[in-house]
Amino acid sequence: MTNPILVTGAAGFVGHAVCERLLARGEAVIGLDNFNSYYEVALKQARAARLEGRPGFEMVRGDVSDPDTVSALVRRHGIRRIVHLAAQAGVRYSLENPFAYEQSNLKGHLAILEAARHAPDFEHLVYASSSSVYGDRPIGGEGFREDEPCTAPVSLYAATKRSCELMSQSYAKLYGFPQSGLRFFTVYGPWGRPDMAYFGFTRKILAGEPIEVFGEGKMARDFTYIDDIVDGVVGVLDRPAARGENRLLNIGDCNPVGLMEMIATLENALGVPAIKQMRPMQPGDVTATYADISAIAALTGYSPKVPLAQGIARFADWYLNTYDRWERPPVAAVA
C-alpha cells in the first residue's frame, strides 16, 4: 500500500465523501477534524462513523490550525499527498465571528503549507478554495474563469479564501512543491451542511414554517452535486501540478439555477409547498455564481453527471429516511 493521504476536514461534508472514495479504491487515509460546533456535532460524528473501522482509515481529532499537530501527522505517516478541506465555512457567520476565520482558514492553511514544504518527497497539495473569491458580479454569457481578477471579495470568508490562494502561490514559488486550489461552487447533496439554504429550507418546509427567500428570489447558484465534486477532487489529486505551480481550478456544474427554481425543485421532491417570505439581499451575499469548468475538464475529463432535480431528490430521500429520524435539539437554519 502506498503512503496514506491526509484529508483535513474529514468529518465535514466534502471531506467525508472524499475519504469514502479514496478508501473504496484501496488508498490508506488519515482524517483530521476538530469536530467544532459551528453546526450540529452529531452530524459530523455520524459522517465519521461511516469511515471509522474501515481498513486503511484512521481519524485523528485535532485542529488543523495547530502546526505541531499537522507536522507530527505528516512526519509520522510519511504523508506525500494532502487534500486540505478543513475551514470555517459560511459567509454570514463571518460577519459575527471574524476571528474564527483567521484561526481556521488562515492559520490552518499556513500550518498545512509548512508541513508540506518540510515533508520528504512531497507530491501534491490539493486545497479547497471557493467561488466566493470572484466577488459579486453579473453573469454575462459565460462562466467565471480562473484567470479573471479576484480583487473585490464581499465577505471576510471570501477574503480568507483568496488569501489562502495567494499564500499557496508564494509557497509554490519559494519551495517548489505542486499545489492545486479548487474553487468550489455551491456543493449540495446527502450528508450536507445544515447551514446551506437547501438544507434549512427543507427543515422549515417540513415543519410548516415560512422560509426567507433573500435577494427577492433573484439570485442564482451553480449547484454542484457531491458525487460530481468528489470526481473532480480525486481527478485533480491524481494529476499533480508542475513543480513550483499553484494551479487554480473551478469545480462546479456550469449550469446556474435561479433560487426560485431550486425552491420549486425542493417542493416537488418533498411533496410539500413552501411558505415564502421575500427578503432583500443580505450583506456578504453575491447575486450569482457560474463556473467555467473548461480547465478542470481538459485536465481530468471532469463532467458533472447529476442534474439538480435528481440530486435534490436524493437529498430529500436521505433527509426523510436518515437525518430526520435522529433525535436532536432544534438548530436555527441559515438561508
Side-chain angles (χ1 to χ4, degrees):
M1 184 176 287
T2 59
N3 295 61
I5 300 168
L6 174 62
V7 178
T8 72
F13 178 27
V14 179
H16 110 282
V18 169
C19 288
E20 284 195 312
R21 181 73 62 84
L22 293 173
L23 291 169
R25 73 177 196 176
E27 301 276 9
V29 177
I30 306 297
L32 176 65
D33 206 293
N34 68 353
F35 291 81
N36 73 16
S37 58
Y38 167 61
Y39 60 80
E40 57 197 84
V41 177
L43 178 55
K44 299 177 182 182
Q45 291 171 334
R47 296 191 194 115
R50 291 161 55 85
L51 301 170
E52 293 176 312
R54 294 179 60 171
F57 182 78
E58 179 184 343
M59 179 67 84
V60 176
R61 284 160 170 76
D63 198 321
V64 73
S65 66
D66 179 357
D68 293 336
T69 295
V70 176
S71 61
L73 276 178
V74 170
R75 286 197 308 269
R76 183 164 65 249
H77 296 281
I79 299 294
R80 297 179 182 176
R81 291 174 291 169
I82 298 175
V83 181
H84 175 41
L85 302 170
Q88 178 58 61
V91 167
R92 293 174 195 160
Y93 189 69
S94 69
L95 303 177
E96 305 166 15
N97 294 278
F99 289 103
Y101 293 76
E102 177 258 349
Q103 179 76 14
S104 294
N105 298 7
L106 300 180
K107 291 182 68 176
H109 195 71
L110 182 57
I112 290 292
L113 290 172
E114 275 292 294
R117 80 146 170 131
H118 289 293
D121 304 314
F122 190 79
E123 297 173 7
H124 197 192
L125 167 61
V126 176
Y127 65 91
S129 187
S130 168
S131 63
S132 66
V133 301
Y134 290 107
D136 189 14
R137 64 182 186 77
I139 290 177
E142 300 175 345
F144 303 167
R145 300 189 315 275
E146 295 91 342
D147 59 357
E148 297 178 27
C150 295
T151 58
V154 297
S155 69
L156 179 65
Y157 169 71
T160 62
K161 284 300 186 179
R162 182 62 181 139
S163 297
C164 290
E165 292 180 350
L166 294 173
M167 291 162 67
S168 279
Q169 178 70 22
S170 66
Y171 266 68
K173 292 300 182 185
L174 285 169
Y175 306 113
F177 61 91
Q179 300 183 55
S180 296
L182 301 180
R183 292 173 172 172
F184 291 119
F185 282 71
T186 312
V187 189
Y188 77 99
W191 297 100
R193 282 176 25 214
D195 64 316
M196 298 292 286
Y198 72 96
F199 206 123
F201 288 167
T202 298
R203 191 191 305 271
K204 291 192 172 185
I205 290 170
L206 292 174
E209 300 173 2
I211 63 172
E212 293 184 304
V213 183
F214 292 101
E216 303 292 341
K218 296 176 182 177
M219 295 191 294
R221 293 290 182 269
D222 200 348
F223 294 99
T224 315
Y225 190 68
I226 181 61
D227 290 0
D228 290 329
I229 286 288
V230 174
D231 286 346
V233 173
V234 174
V236 170
L237 177 66
D238 290 344
R239 296 164 177 83
R243 300 294 301 177
E245 180 185 12
N246 176 49
R247 179 175 58 193
L248 297 175
L249 298 163
N250 290 335
I251 180 167
D253 192 65
C254 194
N255 180 37
V257 174
L259 181 56
M260 297 305 294
E261 181 181 343
M262 186 275 281
I263 293 171
T265 303
L266 186 58
E267 289 174 312
N268 183 65
L270 296 172
V272 181
I275 305 167
K276 306 175 189 70
Q277 294 180 343
M278 310 308 282
R279 297 284 187 262
M281 186 85 79
Q282 289 211 316
D285 274 349
V286 296
T287 306
T289 61
Y290 182 6
D292 180 325
I293 59 172
S294 55
I296 193 172
L299 177 68
T300 69
Y302 174 78
S303 178
K305 301 176 180 64
V306 181
L308 183 68
Q310 184 178 349
I312 288 291
R314 292 179 185 176
F315 166 75
D317 180 71
W318 170 82
Y319 189 101
L320 293 168
N321 293 297
T322 301
Y323 177 79
D324 206 34
R325 296 184 179 183
W326 299 350
E327 293 185 5
R328 65 179 69 76
V331 177
V334 180

